[in-house]
Amino acid sequence: MAAPKTKNTWLFLHRWFGIVTAAFLAIAAVTGCLLTMRDSLDRWVNADLFTYSGSASDRLETIDAVSQFEMIHPDIQVTGFPLQTAPDENIPVLLGAKPGTDSLEQDQVFLNPATAEIVGRRSTEPGWSGRQIVPLLAELHFNLLAGDPGRIFMGFIALGWLVSSIIGLYLTLPRKRPFFKNWWPAWTYSPKRSFGRQLLDIHRSSALWLFPFLFILAFTSVSLNFFGEVYSPVATTISPLKKSLFDEEAPFPDGTTPSLSYADGFALASEQASIEGISWRPATMLYYPEWNLYGITFTDNGQLNYKHLGPIYFYFDAKSGAFAHEVNPYTDSAGLAMIRILYPTHSGEFAGGLSVFFVFILGLATTEQCVTGIWVWWKKRKPRIAAKKLSKT
């Protein structure tokens, strides 16, 4: 075991890493907890947008409803929508401006599934209204609402969290043998101890019991914040992607309009899925004006989700109907698997609701460690300063 002076050095580093990162890490943890229930939160806050009160038998097929909307609004480009919505929900549709027209302030509408009429509109940009609360939480979580500089800053906060966690684990290791017998008290909590000692025990024992999971959460945080700069280049260097169309320059930087309809794109995707033997169901449809491509996602249940490695994407030329591209992490290289596992692991969505709930628990535990860590530092600060003064006399 290391000498006491060495441990004191690591304790100093652990303490100051914690102090510097605590406030920002707590913000990320709290917003992360809320984001685990973002769909439910959005539907609760904006029930008037989502709720359909008509008869389920009156609902049109989603593509038919969107097609009717496009006919009524030829000056607006539909850029995405889910193919399956609950019987009691309206259809959320993402919009974009057609080339040569002004950008849209509100880029999402909700359609009555029986009439294709607009029930409500909103912007998907972060904002302080209830309409934009989920994008606000996501941006606050990722970059503190400060754009790219905020993303980089939060990446370093996550890196400090990762390093501090490793140091914290080291500091719990006993100096004497028997190793496990002397290590066990660091894993325990007793309500019979003083309040200050209880907080220290909670801080230390929760970190130990949850260490592997918190380490993964911290590592994925660093990787997501430095995705373009570090993680993706490393992953694709280790195992280059088989297909990398979107690394090229977009052929229509100012956007264009499709010649084919969404119904055509859906038919092409269904045929391609049959050819490739994919049993998953189509979940969402997308249009990329800069590429003039239709995109269709396939998932295990027909709802956009990020179980396992996430959805499979097919892309078709919106002019000729030619099969243009495929993003399939289950058949592509290990590099794509490394890229696609990152978000499902960080969000907990890789295994469904139970793993998402566990990430919610990890977010609470991270918040607790920020609070207890700062409290312990503050309560020990005065005795530590007094001891230093005494040593100098």
Side-chain angles (χ1 to χ4, degrees):
M1 280 299 142
K5 285 187 177 181
T6 303
K7 278 213 165 183
N8 286 340
T9 301
W10 290 117
L11 178 60
F12 174 84
L13 292 173
H14 178 71
R15 180 187 302 139
W16 284 102
F17 269 124
I19 292 169
V20 170
T21 62
F24 304 105
L25 187 56
I27 292 171
V30 171
T31 53
C33 286
L34 293 172
L35 287 170
T36 63
M37 56 185 88
R38 61 186 177 276
D39 291 339
S40 298
L41 177 63
D42 199 13
R43 283 166 171 77
W44 175 63
V45 174
N46 299 295
D48 59 315
L49 293 179
F50 283 92
T51 304
Y52 167 65
S53 56
S55 171
S57 61
D58 293 335
R59 295 178 67 100
L60 301 168
E61 290 291 330
T62 301
I63 290 182
D64 292 337
V66 171
S67 297
Q68 287 192 27
F69 171 78
E70 287 183 305
M71 290 177 62
I72 298 169
H73 302 276
D75 55 330
I76 296 175
Q77 177 66 61
V78 171
T79 57
F81 56 91
L83 288 164
Q84 307 291 332
T85 53
D88 60 347
E89 289 190 353
N90 295 316
I91 304 170
V93 177
L94 292 172
L95 307 175
K98 287 196 171 180
T101 63
D102 295 333
S103 60
L104 304 176
E105 291 186 7
Q106 296 178 312
D107 59 352
Q108 186 178 45
V109 295
F110 290 77
L111 303 183
N112 182 310
T115 65
E117 296 176 345
I118 297 175
V119 175
R121 305 169 183 263
R122 69 176 178 182
S123 169
T124 57
E125 292 297 313
W128 296 99
S129 70
R131 297 293 198 219
Q132 298 162 276
I133 187 65
V134 171
L136 178 74
L137 290 172
E139 288 292 297
L140 188 59
H141 179 77
F142 187 53
N143 61 26
L144 296 178
L145 303 178
D148 217 39
R151 172 184 66 83
I152 298 296
F153 175 77
M154 288 301 285
F156 281 110
I157 292 296
L159 184 60
W161 177 28
L162 181 66
V163 173
S164 181
S165 298
I166 296 170
I167 295 173
L169 174 66
Y170 168 76
L171 290 172
T172 67
L173 300 178
R175 299 173 183 173
K176 299 178 181 178
R177 296 184 179 183
F179 181 85
F180 289 106
K181 182 178 180 180
N182 287 317
W183 197 21
W184 176 247
W187 296 71
T188 62
Y189 162 80
S190 174
K192 297 180 180 180
R193 294 168 179 164
S194 67
F195 179 72
R197 180 55 192 272
Q198 286 183 54
L199 289 184
L200 175 60
D201 287 349
I202 291 171
H203 181 80
R204 186 168 54 190
S205 61
S206 63
L208 283 171
W209 284 106
L210 296 173
F211 178 80
F213 311 105
L214 291 172
F215 179 87
I216 291 171
L217 199 62
F219 176 79
T220 53
S221 296
V222 175
S223 300
L224 285 167
N225 281 83
F226 295 126
F227 181 81
E229 293 85 356
V230 180
Y231 187 84
S232 180
V234 169
T236 54
T237 298
I238 292 172
S239 180
L241 305 186
K242 295 178 181 178
K243 302 173 182 178
S244 55
L245 172 69
F246 294 106
D247 286 345
E248 302 171 7
E249 291 292 329
F252 306 101
D254 297 324
T256 188
T257 54
S259 301
L260 302 179
S261 67
Y262 274 106
D264 295 327
F266 181 81
L268 290 167
S270 299
E271 181 181 355
Q272 188 65 32
S274 178
I275 291 172
E276 298 196 16
I278 293 175
S279 60
W280 281 8
R281 297 165 57 192
T284 59
M285 292 206 68
L286 307 162
Y287 176 67
Y288 300 84
E290 297 85 0
W291 293 84
N292 199 27
L293 294 178
Y294 279 124
I296 300 91
T297 64
F298 287 81
T299 66
D300 59 341
N301 60 4
Q303 301 287 335
L304 184 63
N305 67 71
Y306 290 88
K307 294 178 184 176
H308 313 299
L309 298 176
I312 296 169
Y313 285 74
F314 287 159
Y315 298 92
F316 297 87
D317 189 300
K319 180 179 180 181
S320 68
F323 182 47
H325 190 48
E326 174 183 1
V327 178
N328 187 340
Y330 307 96
T331 60
D332 207 294
S333 70
L336 183 56
M338 290 171 64
I339 288 171
R340 290 292 295 274
I341 194 60
L342 196 57
Y343 174 75
T345 302
H346 185 74
S347 66
E349 295 180 47
F350 67 92
L354 189 60
S355 54
V356 170
F357 178 71
F358 187 64
V359 168
F360 172 79
I361 297 299
L362 293 179
L364 293 181
T366 303
T367 307
E368 165 264 305
Q369 287 176 11
C370 291
V371 173
T372 55
I374 290 297
W375 193 93
V376 169
W377 165 77
W378 182 254
K379 295 302 289 185
K380 289 187 175 183
R381 180 172 175 270
K382 287 184 179 180
R384 191 163 50 246
I385 292 173
K388 286 183 178 180
K389 289 182 178 179
L390 186 62
S391 66
K392 292 179 180 179
T393 60

